[in-house]
Amino acid sequence: PAIASLNDLLQRVPHDKHVLYLTSEWLYAQQDYERSQKMMESVLALDSNFPPVLNMLGYAYIEDGHPDAVKAVSMLKRYVEVQPTQPNPQDSLAEVLRYTGDDDGALEHYRAALQIDHTFFTSQLGLGDTLTLMGKYDEARVEYDKAIKMADNKRDLLHAAFQKAMIYFWEGRTAEGLSALDT
């Protein structure tokens, strides 16, 4: 019934960017990336600077069955241009740059997000994650400690502490890793 209602709504307002976006977001959540991308692209035809679509389309281009890093990064750079005073565009660009293997670019944009909002948890965590992937474990621990201090809920606190403990496994120090997880 919910899908039928959504289809009815789309027929009544086929050019409403908000309805189209919500539908594309649902398709994305269903991992129907191709249809989601097409719908998001139709939203951009109505409003080329619609921030939610710029963000989601950046992820959709990289997460579908035929990832296109150039399109994903380009879309997220537009998102940064459209919302230069918000941390999330920088954070999203950083995350996708990390997916593409541009770790230095990821670090740059996570730091840019934290310059905008020094309490933006996902960027602080992203710094730790990226440094871990780069094999810079001591630096990663410092960033995770910052994330632990800025966590404002138990889920984020546990996530940052878990990621920090996992570094031991990356280093091949299993006993220390198990001890850190136990703690």
Side-chain angles (χ1 to χ4, degrees):
I3 294 170
S5 294
L6 183 58
N7 286 330
D8 291 343
L9 182 60
L10 282 169
Q11 285 182 345
R12 283 198 307 261
V13 287
H15 301 295
D16 183 296
K17 67 184 179 183
H18 299 292
V19 172
L20 291 169
Y21 170 69
L22 290 174
T23 305
S24 69
E25 189 175 45
W26 180 80
L27 289 167
Y28 180 89
Q30 300 304 308
Q31 298 180 347
D32 189 345
Y33 298 121
E34 186 175 325
R35 287 178 51 205
S36 176
Q37 284 176 20
K38 287 179 183 175
M39 190 163 285
M40 285 187 238
E41 289 165 353
S42 69
V43 172
L44 289 182
L46 298 169
D47 180 351
S48 63
N49 293 321
F50 192 56
V53 167
L54 295 172
N55 186 34
M56 289 298 296
L57 200 48
Y59 284 103
Y61 284 145
I62 200 73
E63 291 180 347
D64 76 357
H66 308 285
D68 188 332
V70 173
K71 281 176 125 176
V73 170
S74 174
M75 193 60 54
L76 291 167
K77 284 182 177 180
R78 281 189 51 212
Y79 181 36
V80 167
E81 290 171 7
V82 169
Q83 292 196 315
T85 62
Q86 298 298 313
N88 194 65
Q90 294 285 352
D91 183 79
S92 294
L93 178 55
E95 189 172 25
V96 168
L97 286 170
R98 187 176 71 214
Y99 292 168
T100 67
D102 183 357
D103 294 333
D104 290 328
L107 293 174
E108 174 188 340
H109 288 281
Y110 282 132
R111 289 181 179 126
L114 288 164
Q115 286 293 323
I116 295 167
D117 179 353
H118 69 280
T119 65
F120 204 70
F121 178 80
T122 58
S123 288
Q124 189 61 57
L125 190 70
L127 285 173
D129 290 346
T130 305
L131 289 165
T132 298
L133 291 171
M134 295 172 77
K136 297 180 178 184
Y137 304 125
D138 291 335
E139 292 177 53
R141 283 185 181 90
V142 169
E143 299 303 335
Y144 287 133
D145 283 338
K146 291 177 187 176
I148 289 166
K149 288 178 185 171
M150 77 169 45
D152 63 1
N153 61 66
K154 289 180 182 180
R155 182 209 174 275
D156 288 348
L157 176 66
L158 179 62
H159 189 139
F162 178 81
Q163 292 296 90
K164 182 181 175 188
M166 294 305 290
I167 292 174
Y168 289 111
F169 295 97
W170 282 81
E171 293 174 305
R173 297 163 55 188
T174 305
E176 291 166 282
L178 291 171
S179 176
L181 286 175
D182 188 49
T183 300

Coordinates of all heavy atoms in Angstrom, one line a residue, residues 14 26 40 54 57 61 76 104 124:
P14 N 4.2 15.2 -10.6 CA 5.4 14.6 -11.2 C 6.6 15.5 -11.3 O 7.7 15.0 -11.5 CB 4.9 14.2 -12.6 CG 3.8 15.2 -12.8 CD 3.1 15.4 -11.5
W26 N 14.2 6.7 -1.3 CA 13.7 5.3 -0.9 C 14.3 4.3 -1.9 O 14.7 3.2 -1.4 CB 12.1 5.3 -1.0 CG 11.6 4.0 -0.7 CD1 11.3 3.5 0.6 CD2 11.1 3.0 -1.6 NE1 10.8 2.2 0.4 CE2 10.7 1.9 -0.9 CE3 11.1 3.0 -3.0 CZ2 10.2 0.8 -1.5 CZ3 10.6 1.8 -3.6 CH2 10.2 0.7 -2.8
M40 N 17.0 11.1 -9.3 CA 17.8 12.3 -8.8 C 18.2 13.2 -9.9 O 18.2 14.4 -9.8 CB 19.0 11.8 -8.0 CG 18.6 11.2 -6.7 SD 20.1 10.9 -5.7 CE 19.9 9.1 -5.4
L54 N 22.4 16.5 -4.6 CA 23.8 16.6 -4.9 C 24.5 15.6 -3.9 O 25.4 14.9 -4.4 CB 24.3 18.0 -4.7 CG 23.8 19.0 -5.6 CD1 24.2 20.4 -5.2 CD2 24.2 18.7 -7.1
L57 N 23.4 11.8 -4.8 CA 23.8 11.4 -6.1 C 25.3 11.1 -6.1 O 25.8 10.2 -6.7 CB 23.4 12.4 -7.1 CG 23.4 12.0 -8.6 CD1 22.6 10.7 -8.8 CD2 22.8 13.1 -9.4
Y61 N 26.5 7.4 -7.3 CA 27.4 7.2 -8.4 C 28.6 6.3 -8.0 O 29.2 5.6 -8.9 CB 28.0 8.5 -8.9 CG 27.1 9.3 -9.8 CD1 27.1 10.7 -9.7 CD2 26.2 8.7 -10.7 CE1 26.3 11.5 -10.5 CE2 25.3 9.5 -11.5 CZ 25.4 10.9 -11.4 OH 24.5 11.6 -12.2
L76 N 29.8 15.8 -5.6 CA 30.0 16.3 -4.2 C 30.8 17.6 -4.2 O 30.6 18.4 -3.2 CB 30.7 15.2 -3.4 CG 29.8 14.0 -3.2 CD1 30.5 12.8 -2.7 CD2 28.6 14.4 -2.2
D104 N 44.7 11.4 1.0 CA 45.1 12.7 1.4 C 44.0 13.7 1.1 O 43.8 14.6 1.9 CB 46.4 13.1 0.6 CG 47.6 12.4 1.0 OD1 47.7 12.0 2.2 OD2 48.5 12.1 0.2
Q124 N 35.4 13.7 12.5 CA 36.5 13.3 13.4 C 36.7 11.9 13.3 O 37.9 11.4 13.3 CB 36.1 13.7 14.8 CG 37.2 13.6 15.8 CD 38.4 14.4 15.5 OE1 38.3 15.7 15.3 NE2 39.6 13.8 15.3

